[in-house]
Protein backbone atom coordinates (compact mmCIF):
# COMPACT_ATOMS: atom_id res chain seq x y z
CA UNK A 1 0.00 0.00 0.00
CA UNK A 2 1.40 3.38 -1.01
CA UNK A 3 -0.72 5.92 0.85
CA UNK A 4 -3.17 6.05 3.74
CA UNK A 5 -5.51 9.04 3.81
CA UNK A 6 -6.73 9.75 7.34
CA UNK A 7 -9.96 11.70 7.88
CA UNK A 8 -11.23 12.48 11.40
CA UNK A 9 -15.01 12.87 11.10
CA UNK A 10 -17.40 14.66 13.39
CA UNK A 11 -20.82 15.88 12.22
CA UNK A 12 -19.53 16.44 8.68
CA UNK A 13 -22.62 15.23 6.84
CA UNK A 14 -22.99 18.47 4.85
CA UNK A 15 -19.40 18.55 3.55
CA UNK A 16 -18.26 14.95 3.48
CA UNK A 17 -19.39 14.23 -0.08
CA UNK A 18 -17.01 16.80 -1.53
CA UNK A 19 -14.12 15.42 0.54
CA UNK A 20 -14.77 11.79 -0.40
CA UNK A 21 -15.49 12.61 -4.05
CA UNK A 22 -12.04 14.17 -4.33
CA UNK A 23 -10.58 10.89 -3.07
CA UNK A 24 -12.49 8.41 -5.22
CA UNK A 25 -11.63 10.51 -8.30
CA UNK A 26 -7.87 10.34 -7.78
CA UNK A 27 -5.70 9.40 -10.75
CA UNK A 28 -3.81 6.95 -8.52
CA UNK A 29 -5.04 3.36 -8.78
CA UNK A 30 -7.49 2.70 -5.93
CA UNK A 31 -5.54 -0.44 -5.00
CA UNK A 32 -2.54 1.74 -4.12
CA UNK A 33 -4.19 3.83 -1.42
CA UNK A 34 -6.66 3.49 1.41
CA UNK A 35 -8.99 5.99 3.07
CA UNK A 36 -9.49 5.61 6.83
CA UNK A 37 -12.46 7.57 8.15
CA UNK A 38 -12.50 7.82 11.94
CA UNK A 39 -15.95 8.70 13.24
CA UNK A 40 -15.65 10.60 16.51
CA UNK A 41 -19.21 9.71 17.68
CA UNK A 42 -21.00 11.96 15.22
CA UNK A 43 -24.63 12.76 15.99
CA UNK A 44 -25.66 13.39 12.38
CA UNK A 45 -25.64 11.12 9.32
CA UNK A 46 -21.88 11.22 8.71
CA UNK A 47 -21.55 7.45 9.18
CA UNK A 48 -24.27 6.77 6.59
CA UNK A 49 -22.48 9.01 4.09
CA UNK A 50 -19.24 7.07 4.60
CA UNK A 51 -21.02 3.71 4.34
CA UNK A 52 -22.57 4.78 1.03
CA UNK A 53 -19.09 5.41 -0.37
CA UNK A 54 -17.82 2.14 1.08
CA UNK A 55 -20.37 0.31 -1.08
CA UNK A 56 -18.80 1.88 -4.16
CA UNK A 57 -15.12 1.80 -3.15
CA UNK A 58 -13.41 -1.12 -1.43
CA UNK A 59 -10.48 1.05 -0.27
CA UNK A 60 -12.57 3.11 2.17
CA UNK A 61 -12.57 1.96 5.80
CA UNK A 62 -14.52 3.19 8.82
CA UNK A 63 -13.43 3.26 12.44
CA UNK A 64 -16.16 4.12 14.96
CA UNK A 65 -14.93 5.53 18.25
CA UNK A 66 -17.09 4.76 21.29
CA UNK A 67 -16.35 8.02 23.08
CA UNK A 68 -16.04 11.50 21.62
CA UNK A 69 -12.45 12.73 21.95
CA UNK A 70 -13.24 16.45 21.70
CA UNK A 71 -11.00 17.09 18.71
CA UNK A 72 -9.20 15.55 15.73
CA UNK A 73 -6.12 14.47 17.73
CA UNK A 74 -7.09 10.98 18.88
CA UNK A 75 -8.93 10.05 15.65
CA UNK A 76 -5.75 10.89 13.75
CA UNK A 77 -3.79 8.65 16.14
CA UNK A 78 -6.27 5.83 15.46
CA UNK A 79 -5.58 6.19 11.75
CA UNK A 80 -1.81 6.18 12.34
CA UNK A 81 -2.11 2.93 14.28
CA UNK A 82 -4.19 1.28 11.54
CA UNK A 83 -2.37 2.70 8.51
CA UNK A 84 -1.03 0.22 5.96
CA UNK A 85 0.45 2.81 3.61
CA UNK A 86 4.08 3.86 3.33
CA UNK A 87 2.84 7.41 3.78
CA UNK A 88 -0.11 8.95 5.58
CA UNK A 89 -1.92 12.10 4.45
CA UNK A 90 -4.13 13.93 6.92
CA UNK A 91 -7.27 15.41 5.39
CA UNK A 92 -9.93 17.35 7.29
CA UNK A 93 -13.52 16.25 6.79
CA UNK A 94 -14.55 19.47 5.01
CA UNK A 95 -11.48 19.96 2.80
CA UNK A 96 -10.64 18.31 -0.52
CA UNK A 97 -7.64 17.64 -2.75
CA UNK A 98 -6.81 17.93 -6.45
CA UNK A 99 -7.38 14.75 -8.44
CA UNK A 100 -3.66 14.22 -9.15
CA UNK A 101 -2.53 14.94 -5.58
CA UNK A 102 -1.87 11.39 -4.37
CA UNK A 103 -0.11 10.34 -7.57
CA UNK A 104 2.08 13.45 -7.64
CA UNK A 105 2.84 13.27 -3.90
CA UNK A 106 3.90 9.64 -4.01
CA UNK A 107 5.98 9.98 -7.17
CA UNK A 108 7.90 12.94 -5.72
CA UNK A 109 8.22 11.35 -2.28
CA UNK A 110 9.85 8.26 -3.77
CA UNK A 111 12.06 10.31 -6.08
CA UNK A 112 13.39 12.50 -3.27
CA UNK A 113 13.08 9.98 -0.42
CA UNK A 114 10.89 12.48 1.40
CA UNK A 115 9.96 12.13 5.06
CA UNK A 116 7.42 14.94 4.82
CA UNK A 117 5.85 16.25 1.63
CA UNK A 118 3.17 18.83 1.01
CA UNK A 119 1.90 20.89 -1.88
CA UNK A 120 0.38 24.24 -2.65
CA UNK A 121 -2.64 25.13 -0.54
CA UNK A 122 -5.68 26.85 -2.01
CA UNK A 123 -8.06 28.78 0.25
CA UNK A 124 -11.77 28.33 -0.45
CA UNK A 125 -14.58 30.71 0.61
CA UNK A 126 -12.11 33.35 1.70
CA UNK A 127 -9.93 31.03 3.77
CA UNK A 128 -6.43 32.51 4.15
CA UNK A 129 -3.66 29.94 3.76
CA UNK A 130 0.16 30.24 3.89
CA UNK A 131 1.80 30.91 0.54
CA UNK A 132 5.34 32.19 1.16
CA UNK A 133 6.91 28.72 1.05
CA UNK A 134 5.52 28.13 -2.45
CA UNK A 135 7.14 31.15 -4.11
CA UNK A 136 10.43 29.24 -4.54
CA UNK A 137 8.94 26.66 -6.92
CA UNK A 138 9.31 22.95 -6.22
CA UNK A 139 11.70 22.26 -3.33
CA UNK A 140 12.93 18.64 -3.26
CA UNK A 141 14.63 19.28 0.10
CA UNK A 142 13.23 22.41 1.70
CA UNK A 143 14.79 24.21 4.66
CA UNK A 144 12.61 25.01 7.66
CA UNK A 145 14.10 28.47 8.10
CA UNK A 146 15.13 29.46 4.58
CA UNK A 147 11.77 28.51 3.08
CA UNK A 148 9.44 29.76 5.83
CA UNK A 149 8.18 26.32 6.82
CA UNK A 150 7.71 27.52 10.39
CA UNK A 151 4.63 29.32 9.02
CA UNK A 152 3.21 26.07 7.66
CA UNK A 153 2.58 23.90 10.70
CA UNK A 154 -0.90 22.70 9.75
CA UNK A 155 -1.15 18.87 9.51
CA UNK A 156 -2.42 18.87 5.92
CA UNK A 157 0.69 17.12 4.68
CA UNK A 158 1.88 13.62 3.80
CA UNK A 159 4.25 11.95 6.27
CA UNK A 160 6.34 8.80 6.05
CA UNK A 161 4.66 6.34 8.42
CA UNK A 162 7.99 4.82 9.48
CA UNK A 163 9.17 8.27 10.61
CA UNK A 164 6.10 8.72 12.80
CA UNK A 165 6.25 5.26 14.31
CA UNK A 166 10.03 5.14 14.79
CA UNK A 167 9.99 8.34 16.85
CA UNK A 168 6.59 7.64 18.45
CA UNK A 169 5.16 10.94 17.23
CA UNK A 170 1.46 11.31 17.99
CA UNK A 171 -1.15 13.99 18.43
CA UNK A 172 -1.51 14.90 22.11
CA UNK A 173 -4.90 14.82 23.81
CA UNK A 174 -3.76 17.45 26.33
CA UNK A 175 -3.11 19.94 23.53
CA UNK A 176 -6.43 21.76 23.26
CA UNK A 177 -4.85 24.27 20.87
CA UNK A 178 -1.78 24.02 18.67
CA UNK A 179 -1.80 20.22 18.64
CA UNK A 180 -1.19 20.19 14.88
CA UNK A 181 1.76 22.58 15.25
CA UNK A 182 3.37 20.30 17.83
CA UNK A 183 2.97 17.19 15.67
CA UNK A 184 4.28 18.86 12.52
CA UNK A 185 7.24 20.51 14.29
CA UNK A 186 8.23 17.13 15.78
CA UNK A 187 8.16 15.65 12.28
CA UNK A 188 10.04 18.60 10.78
CA UNK A 189 12.82 18.28 13.36
CA UNK A 190 13.19 14.52 12.81
CA UNK A 191 12.81 14.58 9.03
CA UNK A 192 15.89 14.33 6.84
CA UNK A 193 14.01 15.44 3.72
CA UNK A 194 11.04 17.82 3.57
CA UNK A 195 9.62 18.33 0.09
CA UNK A 196 7.44 21.24 -0.98
CA UNK A 197 5.60 21.19 -4.32
CA UNK A 198 4.26 24.34 -5.96
CA UNK A 199 3.42 23.07 -9.44
CA UNK A 200 -0.19 22.04 -8.86
CA UNK A 201 -3.18 22.98 -6.70
CA UNK A 202 -2.90 20.13 -4.23
CA UNK A 203 -4.94 20.85 -1.12
CA UNK A 204 -8.09 22.97 -0.86
CA UNK A 205 -8.70 24.38 2.62
CA UNK A 206 -12.34 25.35 3.07
CA UNK A 207 -13.64 28.08 5.34
CA UNK A 208 -16.99 27.11 6.77
CA UNK A 209 -17.57 30.10 9.02
CA UNK A 210 -17.36 28.32 12.38
CA UNK A 211 -13.63 27.79 12.78
CA UNK A 212 -12.64 30.98 14.60
CA UNK A 213 -11.72 29.83 18.10
CA UNK A 214 -10.31 33.17 19.21
CA UNK A 215 -13.39 33.92 21.31
CA UNK A 216 -13.33 30.58 23.09
CA UNK A 217 -11.68 30.53 26.47
CA UNK A 218 -9.02 27.97 27.31
CA UNK A 219 -7.26 27.79 30.67
CA UNK A 220 -3.77 29.17 30.17
CA UNK A 221 -2.07 25.95 31.29
CA UNK A 222 -3.89 23.99 28.57
CA UNK A 223 -3.13 26.68 26.01
CA UNK A 224 0.61 26.52 26.67
CA UNK A 225 0.87 22.71 26.52
CA UNK A 226 1.65 22.54 22.81
CA UNK A 227 3.91 25.56 22.74
CA UNK A 228 5.98 24.47 25.74
CA UNK A 229 6.49 21.12 24.03
CA UNK A 230 7.36 22.67 20.68
CA UNK A 231 10.14 24.70 22.29
CA UNK A 232 11.24 21.60 24.20
CA UNK A 233 11.26 19.58 20.97
CA UNK A 234 13.61 22.09 19.35
CA UNK A 235 15.83 22.38 22.43
CA UNK A 236 16.25 18.61 22.83
CA UNK A 237 16.74 17.90 19.12
CA UNK A 238 19.96 16.82 17.42
CA UNK A 239 20.07 20.04 15.42
CA UNK A 240 23.16 22.21 15.65
CA UNK A 241 23.22 24.74 18.47
CA UNK A 242 23.05 27.78 16.19
CA UNK A 243 20.22 26.29 14.14
CA UNK A 244 18.24 25.51 17.29
CA UNK A 245 18.56 29.11 18.39
CA UNK A 246 17.43 30.44 15.01
CA UNK A 247 14.54 27.96 14.81
CA UNK A 248 13.42 28.74 18.36
CA UNK A 249 13.42 32.45 17.53
CA UNK A 250 11.49 31.88 14.30
CA UNK A 251 8.83 29.82 16.05
CA UNK A 252 8.63 32.26 18.97
CA UNK A 253 8.08 35.09 16.49
CA UNK A 254 5.27 33.09 14.87
CA UNK A 255 3.78 32.22 18.25
CA UNK A 256 3.72 35.80 19.52
CA UNK A 257 2.39 37.08 16.20
CA UNK A 258 -0.30 34.52 15.41
CA UNK A 259 -1.46 33.02 18.71
CA UNK A 260 -4.24 34.41 20.88
CA UNK A 261 -1.88 35.08 23.80
CA UNK A 262 -1.45 38.84 23.41
CA UNK A 263 -5.03 39.24 22.22
CA UNK A 264 -6.34 37.65 25.40
CA UNK A 265 -4.17 39.72 27.73
CA UNK A 266 -4.76 43.05 25.97
CA UNK A 267 -8.45 42.65 25.17
CA UNK A 268 -11.57 42.86 27.33
CA UNK A 269 -12.42 39.20 26.77
CA UNK A 270 -10.83 38.04 30.02
CA UNK A 271 -11.40 39.09 33.58
CA UNK A 272 -8.49 40.50 35.56
CA UNK A 273 -8.20 37.19 37.42
CA UNK A 274 -8.02 35.28 34.12
CA UNK A 275 -5.40 37.68 32.76
CA UNK A 276 -3.31 37.15 35.88
CA UNK A 277 -3.53 33.40 35.32
CA UNK A 278 -2.46 33.80 31.68
CA UNK A 279 0.42 36.06 32.66
CA UNK A 280 1.56 33.53 35.28
CA UNK A 281 1.75 30.81 32.62
CA UNK A 282 3.41 33.23 30.19
CA UNK A 283 6.12 33.94 32.76
CA UNK A 284 6.73 30.20 33.21
CA UNK A 285 6.98 29.75 29.45
CA UNK A 286 9.45 32.63 29.14
CA UNK A 287 11.54 31.51 32.12
CA UNK A 288 11.81 27.99 30.70
CA UNK A 289 12.36 28.73 27.03
CA UNK A 290 13.15 32.37 26.23
CA UNK A 291 16.70 33.58 26.83
CA UNK A 292 17.99 37.14 26.40
CA UNK A 293 19.63 35.93 23.19
CA UNK A 294 16.25 34.85 21.83
CA UNK A 295 14.64 38.14 22.82
CA UNK A 296 17.24 40.03 20.77
CA UNK A 297 16.35 37.90 17.75
CA UNK A 298 12.68 38.93 17.95
CA UNK A 299 11.13 42.03 16.35
CA UNK A 300 11.04 45.00 18.71
CA UNK A 301 7.24 44.90 18.96
CA UNK A 302 7.56 41.81 21.13
CA UNK A 303 10.45 42.96 23.34
CA UNK A 304 8.50 44.93 25.92
CA UNK A 305 5.86 42.20 26.11
CA UNK A 306 8.38 39.45 26.86
CA UNK A 307 10.45 41.54 29.28
CA UNK A 308 7.50 42.78 31.34
CA UNK A 309 5.74 39.40 31.24
CA UNK A 310 8.93 37.96 32.72
CA UNK A 311 8.38 40.35 35.64
CA UNK A 312 4.79 39.06 35.91
CA UNK A 313 3.47 42.62 36.31
CA UNK A 314 0.07 42.84 34.63
CA UNK A 315 -0.66 46.51 35.33
CA UNK A 316 2.73 47.61 34.07
CA UNK A 317 2.34 45.50 30.93
CA UNK A 318 -1.07 46.98 30.17
CA UNK A 319 0.16 50.53 30.72
CA UNK A 320 3.33 50.23 28.62
CA UNK A 321 1.31 48.56 25.87
CA UNK A 322 -1.16 51.45 25.87
CA UNK A 323 1.62 54.04 25.70
CA UNK A 324 3.66 52.21 23.07
CA UNK A 325 1.73 53.53 20.08
CA UNK A 326 2.09 57.17 21.18
CA UNK A 327 5.88 57.23 21.52
CA UNK A 328 7.32 60.62 20.52
CA UNK A 329 10.80 61.68 19.31
CA UNK A 330 11.34 63.33 22.71
CA UNK A 331 11.30 59.90 24.38
CA UNK A 332 14.14 58.53 22.23
CA UNK A 333 17.27 58.05 24.34
CA UNK A 334 19.66 56.23 22.02
CA UNK A 335 20.07 54.06 18.92
CA UNK A 336 22.39 51.17 19.52
CA UNK A 337 23.09 47.77 17.90
CA UNK A 338 20.18 48.28 15.54
CA UNK A 339 17.60 49.11 18.25
CA UNK A 340 15.83 52.41 18.87
CA UNK A 341 15.32 52.91 22.60
CA UNK A 342 12.67 55.12 24.20
CA UNK A 343 12.17 56.12 27.82
CA UNK A 344 8.98 54.99 29.58
CA UNK A 345 8.15 56.55 32.94
CA UNK A 346 5.39 56.27 35.48
CA UNK A 347 5.41 57.61 39.04
CA UNK A 348 2.03 56.56 40.44
CA UNK A 349 1.85 55.48 44.07
CA UNK A 350 1.34 51.81 43.31
CA UNK A 351 2.98 51.64 39.90
CA UNK A 352 6.31 53.32 39.33
CA UNK A 353 8.94 52.58 36.70
CA UNK A 354 11.58 54.41 34.68
CA UNK A 355 13.11 52.26 31.94
CA UNK A 356 13.92 51.92 28.24
CA UNK A 357 12.17 49.75 25.68
CA UNK A 358 12.91 49.20 22.00
CA UNK A 359 10.47 50.95 19.65
CA UNK A 360 11.66 50.14 16.12
CA UNK A 361 8.17 48.99 15.20
CA UNK A 362 6.58 52.40 15.82
CA UNK A 363 9.16 54.36 13.82
CA UNK A 364 7.37 55.57 10.69
CA UNK A 365 9.15 56.85 7.61
CA UNK A 366 8.18 59.17 4.78
CA UNK A 367 10.13 59.69 1.54
CA UNK A 368 9.51 62.28 -1.16
CA UNK A 369 11.39 63.09 -4.38
CA UNK A 370 11.74 66.80 -5.16
CA UNK A 371 13.68 66.51 -8.41
CA UNK A 372 15.33 64.08 -10.82
CA UNK A 373 17.81 65.44 -13.34
CA UNK A 374 19.27 63.23 -16.06
CA UNK A 375 22.08 64.09 -18.48
CA UNK A 376 24.41 62.17 -20.76
CA UNK A 377 26.56 60.79 -17.98
CA UNK A 378 24.89 61.44 -14.64
CA UNK A 379 21.67 61.26 -12.66
CA UNK A 380 20.90 63.66 -9.81
CA UNK A 381 18.13 62.86 -7.33
CA UNK A 382 17.03 65.14 -4.48
CA UNK A 383 14.29 64.90 -1.91
CA UNK A 384 13.31 64.34 1.71
CA UNK A 385 13.56 61.27 3.91
CA UNK A 386 12.19 61.57 7.43
CA UNK A 387 11.80 59.00 10.18
CA UNK A 388 9.19 59.89 12.79
CA UNK A 389 11.20 58.97 15.88
CA UNK A 390 14.61 60.09 14.63
CA UNK A 391 14.05 63.72 13.70
CA UNK A 392 16.41 64.79 16.50
CA UNK A 393 19.08 62.26 15.55
CA UNK A 394 21.92 62.55 13.05
CA UNK A 395 20.83 59.91 10.53
CA UNK A 396 23.21 59.15 7.65
CA UNK A 397 21.38 58.82 4.33
CA UNK A 398 22.73 56.92 1.33
CA UNK A 399 21.37 56.21 -2.15
CA UNK A 400 21.32 52.49 -2.95
CA UNK A 401 21.03 51.04 -6.46
CA UNK A 402 20.04 47.36 -6.36
CA UNK A 403 20.41 44.96 -9.30
CA UNK A 404 17.04 43.24 -9.32
CA UNK A 405 18.26 39.84 -10.47
CA UNK A 406 21.45 39.36 -8.45
CA UNK A 407 20.80 41.63 -5.49
CA UNK A 408 24.17 43.36 -5.98
CA UNK A 409 24.15 46.83 -4.45
CA UNK A 410 25.90 50.01 -5.48
CA UNK A 411 25.93 52.71 -2.79
CA UNK A 412 26.20 56.44 -3.36
CA UNK A 413 27.38 57.75 -0.01
CA UNK A 414 28.11 61.42 -0.72
CA UNK A 415 24.99 63.33 0.31
CA UNK A 416 25.35 66.81 -1.22
CA UNK A 417 23.12 68.47 1.40
CA UNK A 418 23.64 68.47 5.15
CA UNK A 419 20.16 69.38 6.35
CA UNK A 420 18.61 66.65 8.48
CA UNK A 421 16.08 64.60 6.55
CA UNK A 422 17.06 65.94 3.14
CA UNK A 423 19.15 64.31 0.44
CA UNK A 424 20.77 65.07 -2.88
CA UNK A 425 22.81 62.46 -4.69
CA UNK A 426 24.59 62.57 -8.01
CA UNK A 427 26.12 59.52 -9.68
CA UNK A 428 27.67 58.49 -12.97
CA UNK A 429 25.94 55.65 -14.85
CA UNK A 430 29.31 53.96 -15.23
CA UNK A 431 29.35 53.40 -11.47
CA UNK A 432 26.85 50.56 -11.81
CA UNK A 433 27.19 49.72 -15.52
CA UNK A 434 30.24 47.53 -14.90
CA UNK A 435 30.03 44.54 -17.25
CA UNK A 436 27.55 42.23 -18.92
CA UNK A 437 26.43 40.97 -15.50
CA UNK A 438 25.09 44.47 -14.87
CA UNK A 439 22.35 44.18 -17.49
CA UNK A 440 18.74 44.24 -16.41
CA UNK A 441 16.75 46.49 -14.06
CA UNK A 442 18.36 48.42 -11.20
CA UNK A 443 15.97 49.71 -8.56
CA UNK A 444 16.62 52.88 -6.55
CA UNK A 445 16.35 53.17 -2.75
CA UNK A 446 17.15 55.66 -0.03
CA UNK A 447 18.60 54.17 3.16
CA UNK A 448 19.07 55.90 6.50
CA UNK A 449 21.45 54.43 9.07
CA UNK A 450 22.28 55.27 12.67
CA UNK A 451 23.71 53.11 15.45
CA UNK A 452 23.31 49.93 13.41
CA UNK A 453 19.65 50.67 12.67
CA UNK A 454 18.67 50.78 8.98
CA UNK A 455 15.51 51.97 7.29
CA UNK A 456 15.23 51.59 3.51
CA UNK A 457 12.55 53.01 1.22
CA UNK A 458 11.95 52.74 -2.51
CA UNK A 459 12.27 55.99 -4.46
CA UNK A 460 10.10 57.51 -7.14
CA UNK A 461 6.44 56.95 -6.42
CA UNK A 462 6.07 59.79 -3.91
CA UNK A 463 7.20 62.89 -5.84
CA UNK A 464 6.21 66.40 -6.84
CA UNK A 465 3.18 66.40 -9.09
CA UNK A 466 4.77 69.03 -11.34
CA UNK A 467 8.14 67.28 -11.46
CA UNK A 468 9.91 67.61 -14.82
CA UNK A 469 12.92 65.42 -15.61
CA UNK A 470 15.41 67.45 -17.66
CA UNK A 471 17.84 65.79 -20.03
CA UNK A 472 20.74 68.06 -20.94
CA UNK A 473 21.20 66.62 -24.40
CA UNK A 474 20.19 68.47 -27.56
CA UNK A 475 19.08 65.32 -29.34
CA UNK A 476 17.07 64.00 -26.39
CA UNK A 477 15.10 67.05 -25.32
CA UNK A 478 12.96 67.08 -22.17
CA UNK A 479 10.86 64.27 -20.77
CA UNK A 480 7.14 65.15 -20.60
CA UNK A 481 5.57 66.48 -17.44
CA UNK A 482 3.77 63.94 -15.28
CA UNK A 483 0.09 63.85 -16.14
CA UNK A 484 -3.03 62.06 -15.06
CA UNK A 485 -2.76 59.69 -18.00
CA UNK A 486 -3.38 56.00 -17.62
CA UNK A 487 -0.60 53.88 -16.12
CA UNK A 488 0.27 52.45 -19.51
CA UNK A 489 0.48 55.87 -21.17
CA UNK A 490 2.48 57.37 -18.32
CA UNK A 491 4.98 54.58 -18.33
CA UNK A 492 5.38 54.83 -22.08
CA UNK A 493 6.11 58.55 -21.82
CA UNK A 494 8.34 58.54 -18.77
CA UNK A 495 11.40 56.78 -20.04
CA UNK A 496 14.58 57.82 -21.81
CA UNK A 497 17.67 55.97 -23.03
CA UNK A 498 21.36 56.84 -23.15
CA UNK A 499 22.99 54.64 -25.75
CA UNK A 500 26.58 55.78 -25.40
CA UNK A 501 27.57 54.57 -21.91
CA UNK A 502 31.01 53.00 -22.32
CA UNK A 503 32.45 50.54 -19.83
CA UNK A 504 35.62 48.49 -20.42
CA UNK A 505 35.33 48.91 -24.18
CA UNK A 506 31.67 47.90 -24.43
CA UNK A 507 28.68 50.13 -25.07
CA UNK A 508 25.51 49.93 -23.03
CA UNK A 509 22.04 51.43 -23.27
CA UNK A 510 20.79 52.90 -19.99
CA UNK A 511 17.06 53.58 -19.80
CA UNK A 512 15.53 55.54 -16.92
CA UNK A 513 11.86 54.71 -16.38
CA UNK A 514 9.07 54.52 -13.84
CA UNK A 515 7.88 50.98 -13.17
CA UNK A 516 4.41 49.88 -14.10
CA UNK A 517 2.10 49.23 -11.21
CA UNK A 518 4.21 50.69 -8.38
CA UNK A 519 5.42 53.71 -10.45
CA UNK A 520 8.91 53.78 -8.89
CA UNK A 521 12.17 54.91 -10.47
CA UNK A 522 14.39 52.24 -12.04
CA UNK A 523 17.20 52.01 -14.60
CA UNK A 524 17.26 49.28 -17.24
CA UNK A 525 20.68 48.32 -18.63
CA UNK A 526 21.15 46.60 -21.99
CA UNK A 527 24.32 45.70 -23.86
CA UNK A 528 24.41 47.58 -27.18
CA UNK A 529 25.51 44.89 -29.62
Amino acid sequence: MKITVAIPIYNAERHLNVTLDSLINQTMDSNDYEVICVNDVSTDNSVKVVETYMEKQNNIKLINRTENSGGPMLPRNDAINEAKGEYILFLDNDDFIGEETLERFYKSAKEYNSDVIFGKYIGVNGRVVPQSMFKYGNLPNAEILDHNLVFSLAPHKMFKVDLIREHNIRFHKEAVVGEDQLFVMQCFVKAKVITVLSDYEYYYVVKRGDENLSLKYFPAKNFFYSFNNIMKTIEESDLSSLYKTKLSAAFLNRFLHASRLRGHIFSNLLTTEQKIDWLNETKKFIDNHVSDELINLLPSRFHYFVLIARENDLQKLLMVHKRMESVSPNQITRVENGWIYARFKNTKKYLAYDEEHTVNHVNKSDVFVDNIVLDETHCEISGQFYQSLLINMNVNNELVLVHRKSGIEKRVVDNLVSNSGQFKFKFNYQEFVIDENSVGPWDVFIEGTIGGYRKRRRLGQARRTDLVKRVNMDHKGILPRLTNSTKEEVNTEKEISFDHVLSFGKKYIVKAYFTKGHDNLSFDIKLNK
Side-chain angles (χ1 to χ4, degrees), residues 358-370:
T358 58
V359 292
N360 297 38
H361 59 292
V362 292
N363 180 43
K364 311 300 181 186
S365 64
D366 195 9
V367 63
F368 188 79
V369 176
D370 291 323

Side-chain angles (χ1 to χ4, degrees), residues 305-423:
F305 178 85
V306 174
L307 291 172
I308 301 176
R310 191 162 64 182
E311 299 176 24
N312 206 8
D313 190 331
L314 178 61
Q315 293 307 312
K316 179 179 175 181
L317 179 58
L318 295 176
M319 182 170 288
V320 171
H321 175 72
K322 183 178 180 180
R323 294 180 175 178
M324 185 59 68
E325 293 300 323
S326 59
V327 175
S328 77
N330 294 335
Q331 289 176 253
I332 304 305
T333 56
R334 60 193 170 106
V335 183
E336 191 173 292
N337 297 323
W339 301 114
I340 305 172
Y341 290 89
R343 177 74 65 187
F344 288 80
K345 291 183 179 181
N346 194 68
T347 54
K348 300 297 183 182
K349 185 175 181 181
Y350 297 107
L351 181 60
Y353 55 83
D354 182 356
E355 59 195 28
E356 291 179 320
H357 288 291
T358 58
V359 292
N360 297 38
H361 59 292
V362 292
N363 180 43
K364 311 300 181 186
S365 64
D366 195 9
V367 63
F368 188 79
V369 176
D370 291 323
N371 203 14
I372 302 174
V373 179
L374 307 170
D375 64 22
E376 293 182 346
T377 58
H378 290 79
C379 172
E380 183 178 281
I381 303 175
S382 58
Q384 306 161 61
F385 181 34
Y386 289 103
Q387 301 189 53
S388 62
L389 296 183
L390 302 179
I391 61 173
N392 297 321
M393 311 291 283
N394 186 22
V395 179
N396 178 51
N397 290 325
E398 297 179 353
L399 191 76
V400 185
L401 296 143
V402 181
H403 189 233
R404 194 179 297 172
K405 182 178 180 180
S406 68
I408 292 174
E409 298 183 355
K410 170 62 183 176
R411 292 178 173 270
V412 183
V413 300
D414 189 12
N415 190 353
L416 301 179
V417 294
S418 57
N419 294 340
S420 177
Q422 294 186 333
F423 62 86

Side-chain angles (χ1 to χ4, degrees), residues 62 83 96 114 205 311-312 315 344 376 415 447 480 502 520:
L62 177 64
F96 57 97
S114 310
V205 190
E311 299 176 24
N312 206 8
Q315 293 307 312
F344 288 80
E376 293 182 346
N415 190 353
E447 183 175 277
L502 189 66
N520 288 311

Side-chain angles (χ1 to χ4, degrees), residues 194-398:
I194 303 171
T195 299
V196 179
L197 302 179
S198 308
D199 57 349
Y200 180 74
E201 296 181 349
Y202 288 91
Y203 192 107
Y204 292 81
V205 190
V206 180
K207 181 178 181 179
R208 299 294 182 184
D210 57 354
E211 52 208 319
N212 185 1
L213 301 178
S214 62
L215 299 180
K216 295 184 179 180
Y217 178 75
F218 294 97
K221 187 174 182 179
N222 299 80
F223 170 81
F224 273 101
Y225 180 89
S226 292
F227 307 115
N228 274 307
N229 280 283
I230 288 174
M231 296 296 285
K232 188 177 178 181
T233 294
I234 297 171
E235 292 159 3
E236 295 179 352
S237 70
D238 295 330
L239 301 171
S240 68
S241 177
L242 179 59
Y243 195 89
K244 284 195 281 190
T245 299
K246 296 290 187 182
L247 182 56
S248 296
F251 175 76
L252 189 59
N253 179 33
R254 179 194 194 279
F255 168 66
L256 292 172
H257 171 73
S259 77
R260 69 200 70 187
L261 171 61
R262 293 185 306 135
H264 270 4
I265 291 179
F266 294 139
S267 74
N268 295 321
L269 296 175
L270 274 61
T271 65
T272 299
E273 290 73 20
Q274 288 173 330
K275 290 183 179 182
I276 290 173
D277 177 50
W278 274 70
L279 194 57
N280 285 335
E281 292 300 322
T282 303
K283 173 178 169 54
K284 293 177 185 177
F285 175 81
I286 293 169
D287 288 344
N288 289 331
H289 304 295
V290 185
S291 64
D292 288 342
E293 181 184 14
L294 280 185
I295 295 174
N296 281 325
L297 292 174
L298 294 174
S300 72
R301 62 196 178 105
F302 300 136
H303 286 188
Y304 76 94
F305 178 85
V306 174
L307 291 172
I308 301 176
R310 191 162 64 182
E311 299 176 24
N312 206 8
D313 190 331
L314 178 61
Q315 293 307 312
K316 179 179 175 181
L317 179 58
L318 295 176
M319 182 170 288
V320 171
H321 175 72
K322 183 178 180 180
R323 294 180 175 178
M324 185 59 68
E325 293 300 323
S326 59
V327 175
S328 77
N330 294 335
Q331 289 176 253
I332 304 305
T333 56
R334 60 193 170 106
V335 183
E336 191 173 292
N337 297 323
W339 301 114
I340 305 172
Y341 290 89
R343 177 74 65 187
F344 288 80
K345 291 183 179 181
N346 194 68
T347 54
K348 300 297 183 182
K349 185 175 181 181
Y350 297 107
L351 181 60
Y353 55 83
D354 182 356
E355 59 195 28
E356 291 179 320
H357 288 291
T358 58
V359 292
N360 297 38
H361 59 292
V362 292
N363 180 43
K364 311 300 181 186
S365 64
D366 195 9
V367 63
F368 188 79
V369 176
D370 291 323
N371 203 14
I372 302 174
V373 179
L374 307 170
D375 64 22
E376 293 182 346
T377 58
H378 290 79
C379 172
E380 183 178 281
I381 303 175
S382 58
Q384 306 161 61
F385 181 34
Y386 289 103
Q387 301 189 53
S388 62
L389 296 183
L390 302 179
I391 61 173
N392 297 321
M393 311 291 283
N394 186 22
V395 179
N396 178 51
N397 290 325
E398 297 179 353

Side-chain angles (χ1 to χ4, degrees), residues 179-193:
E179 81 288 342
D180 46 358
Q181 298 179 40
L182 175 56
F183 179 90
V184 175
M185 182 62 81
Q186 288 175 321
C187 290
F188 276 178
V189 166
K190 293 296 183 182
K192 291 183 173 60
V193 178

Side-chain angles (χ1 to χ4, degrees), residues 161-173:
V161 173
D162 285 347
L163 174 80
I164 295 173
R165 291 175 176 167
E166 177 185 351
H167 298 288
N168 195 28
I169 302 173
R170 295 294 188 274
F171 292 90
H172 293 258
K173 181 179 181 180

